[in-house]
Structure formats: C-alpha cells, structure tokens
Amino acid sequence: MSDYEGGPANEDDLSLPRATVYKLIAEMLPEDITCAKDTRDLLLDCCNEFIHLVASESNDVCEKEAKKTIAAEHVLTALQDLGFGKYVTEVQEAHDEHRKQQTKDRGRKGSKLSQLGMSEEELLRSQELLFAEARMRFQSQASHAQSNNSTPGSV
Amino acid sequence: MSSNLPAARVRRIIKEDKDIVACGAESLFLISRATEYFIDCLVRESYEFSRLDKRKTVQYKDMAKAVQSIEHVFV
C-alpha cells in the first residue's frame, strides 16, 4: 500500500513530517541562527514522545470518566497532570478560538434561510412558482423538439 | 484555526497506542497545538544554551540540556 502522504514506509518509523518541523524550527529561531541536523532529529523524536505521552495520559483521564473517546477536556487535564501547565492557557485559547470558528461556520449555514427575509409560506409559494415555470419550459422544449423530429420514417 | 502539523499524521501517531479507542477531532487539534508549543519551548531553551556559549548553531548538547529541564516528564 503506497503512502501518498510521502511518509515513512515502515509503521515503526512513524513521526511528524521532517520538512514541516524543520520549517517550524527555522521560524522560531533568529535569522542568523542555524540548528544542526542531529539536533533537529532529536527534536523530532521528542515530539513523538510528547504526542504519545499526552495521548496516553489523556486516554487515562478519559477512561477514569468511563468514556471511550478522548475529549478536549481530557487533553487539558492531561497536560496539567503531566506538568505542562504553562501550555494549558495557550492551548485553552486555541481551543476557544477553534470552537468559536466552528460555531460561526455552523451559524453561517443556518442563517442563509433567515437572511432571505421571507416567511416559510412565501418560500413554499415561490418554490411552487419556480417548479411550474420549469415545467412549462420543459414541456415547450419537448414539444418543440418533437415537431422538429417528426419526419416520415423516423421513430 | 488550524495546526501547522498535519492532522492525519498526528492521528496515526496517537493510534499507535492500542489502548486508545478513539480520539475526537477537537482533542487531535489540541494535541497538535500542544506539540507546537512544546517545539517552541524546546527550541527557545536550546537556543538560550547556544547563545550562552556564544555560538550561532544550536547543537545537540543544547537541546539535550533543554530536554533535561523537562526530564521529570520523560522518564
């Protein structure tokens, strides 16, 4: 099975994409500072460990609450329990932003109808009108086509 | 709002743990973000060590020292 993500072929070597992490490192350091390759690779390994650690701890929190799916709250508790409390504020902010964005997207989908300014009855009436117009157009097209094709011998 | 890290890859790394049944999309996003802050912290601390040594290259030993500072987590 080909890995179209361009990731490692062997599942054991699963880690974050090198290029992405290298780019993040470069963005975090001043322009004139470089990071040795073995250092970047060490960071990659640490990230892997970190993800496993947080996921595992989140899972423990999740199981204690007799839940099966790791929820956002479990991750936040896990970070606190693991001693990454200083991350919690920033991650919490990202969480709130993410939620706000999702509500906005959901709201946008729902408000399309209310933005039209028509009642449900009016909407149904205009829908019926549109169907009738379409039907008439279709029928006139069909009869027009029929009169064009009606030559002797044609099916 | 999105993470710089690819969600699918982070999910696959998480799923390597067979004890984990399911991870919600929101949790996945939070773990990604937390990992980014983790990278940020490690890189900044490592840079501090290299700066103290008056070097322009962050070396392995700098990051090793930075990791030691959070060693209580990495048993």
Side-chain angles (χ1 to χ4, degrees):
Chain A
M1 187 159 64
S2 66
D3 185 353
Y4 61 86
E5 279 185 334
N10 185 5
E11 275 289 322
D12 291 339
D13 297 338
L14 192 60
S15 69
L16 294 172
R18 279 197 147 81
T20 311
V21 177
Y22 289 2
K23 196 171 101 156
L24 283 173
I25 296 171
E27 283 172 8
M28 289 165 187
L29 290 172
E31 260 184 53
D32 58 337
I33 304 295
T34 50
C35 189
K37 190 176 178 296
D38 56 356
T39 317
R40 288 181 281 174
D41 290 343
L42 172 61
L43 182 66
L44 263 166
D45 288 341
C46 290
C47 286
N48 240 45
E49 275 300 310
F50 181 81
I51 293 171
H52 281 301
L53 198 64
V54 177
S56 177
E57 185 69 24
S58 305
N59 196 43
D60 288 345
V61 176
C62 171
E63 282 178 349
K64 271 190 214 140
E65 293 186 8
K67 300 262 165 70
K68 287 213 171 124
T69 307
I70 297 174
E73 289 70 33
H74 303 149
V75 177
L76 292 170
T77 309
L79 284 171
Q80 198 76 253
D81 292 347
L82 287 168
F84 291 111
K86 63 178 178 176
Y87 294 5
V88 174
T89 333
E90 308 208 41
V91 173
Q92 179 84 66
E93 273 176 28
H95 179 220
D96 294 338
E97 274 296 317
H98 190 240
R99 272 231 167 123
K100 246 187 265 171
Q101 188 66 48
Q102 290 201 313
T103 326
K104 216 193 284 178
D105 290 343
R106 251 180 261 133
R108 226 181 282 141
K109 286 184 202 158
S111 69
K112 261 187 193 161
L113 281 176
S114 56
Q115 273 175 6
L116 286 172
M118 289 176 18
S119 72
E120 201 173 310
E121 275 175 18
E122 288 170 322
L123 283 167
L124 281 166
R125 227 179 299 140
S126 70
Q127 189 183 54
E128 287 297 313
L129 273 168
L130 286 165
F131 282 156
E133 277 172 27
R135 233 176 284 133
M136 272 177 15
R137 244 179 291 144
F138 177 71
Q139 280 168 358
S140 70
Q141 273 177 9
S143 59
H144 188 69
Q146 217 173 33
S147 62
N148 278 346
N149 284 339
S150 59
T151 53
S154 70
V155 182
Chain B
M1 252 235 148
S2 62
S3 172
N4 284 304
L5 305 173
R9 187 70 70 88
V10 177
R11 185 183 285 280
R12 274 162 65 200
I13 295 171
I14 290 171
K15 291 295 230 174
E16 279 188 322
D17 185 343
K18 299 298 174 204
D19 290 336
I20 295 178
V21 178
C23 184
E26 229 175 8
S27 319
L28 186 70
F29 170 72
L30 290 190
I31 292 176
S32 283
R33 284 305 230 169
T35 309
E36 281 183 65
Y37 291 127
F38 175 73
I39 295 172
D40 186 63
C41 285
L42 264 192
V43 169
R44 285 182 202 284
E45 282 204 39
S46 311
Y47 168 56
E48 269 309 302
F49 285 118
S50 69
R51 207 171 61 86
L52 286 168
D53 220 14
K54 296 186 174 45
R55 271 180 283 107
K56 293 240 167 181
T57 304
V58 178
Q59 290 174 0
Y60 192 96
K61 57 183 178 181
D62 301 321
M63 192 155 291
K65 273 195 228 158
V67 171
Q68 266 181 351
S69 67
I70 46 168
E71 205 179 35
H72 67 282
V73 177
F74 293 113
V75 175

